[in-house]
Amino acid sequence: MTPPSRVVLLTRAGCHLCVEAEATLRRTCEDLGVAWRALDIDSEPDLRAGFTDHVPVTFVDRQLLSYWFLDEDALRAALSQPAPLPTHDEWVPTVDLQP
């Protein structure tokens, strides 16, 4: 059974910052054995409306970690804490860009 994704990355095609964030996320999560998933904001009207100017956007345990740039040290620090509650893979972020 695959564990629920603790990390959600909002991305869009053609975004060079998204490519960089996904590479950092992939490397870090593989190293730590943490599940993650990416959502294309252009596939969901609400995500596109709320996050179009902020991608990539990273959430850890349903909490906003960063937008535009993903700091690997901050990601590792967030993932070093136990997950408060399982994040089901159906969870989709809502617009609240206060880190």
Side-chain angles (χ1 to χ4, degrees):
M1 181 175 177
T2 304
S5 301
R6 287 188 63 190
V7 183
V8 174
L9 178 67
L10 302 182
T11 67
R12 79 162 13 117
C15 167
H16 72 281
L17 294 176
C18 297
V19 171
E20 293 172 14
E22 186 169 339
T24 299
L25 184 60
R26 182 180 308 277
R27 179 180 59 250
T28 304
C29 287
E30 285 179 3
D31 185 41
L32 298 174
V34 173
W36 66 280
R37 65 189 171 106
L39 295 173
D40 181 345
I41 66 161
D42 293 321
S43 68
E44 297 280 336
D46 289 342
L47 290 177
R48 182 175 52 247
F51 296 103
T52 197
D53 294 333
H54 296 90
V55 293
V57 184
T58 308
F59 292 86
V60 175
D61 298 324
R62 298 185 183 202
Q63 299 297 313
L64 175 66
L65 178 68
S66 66
Y67 49 90
W68 296 321
F69 302 98
L70 177 57
D71 179 270
E72 185 172 351
D73 291 335
L75 177 61
R76 285 183 179 275
L79 292 173
S80 72
Q81 304 300 313
L85 294 171
T87 299
H88 301 286
D89 281 341
E90 295 81 33
W91 179 77
V92 176
T94 57
V95 179
D96 182 10
L97 293 177
Q98 302 301 312

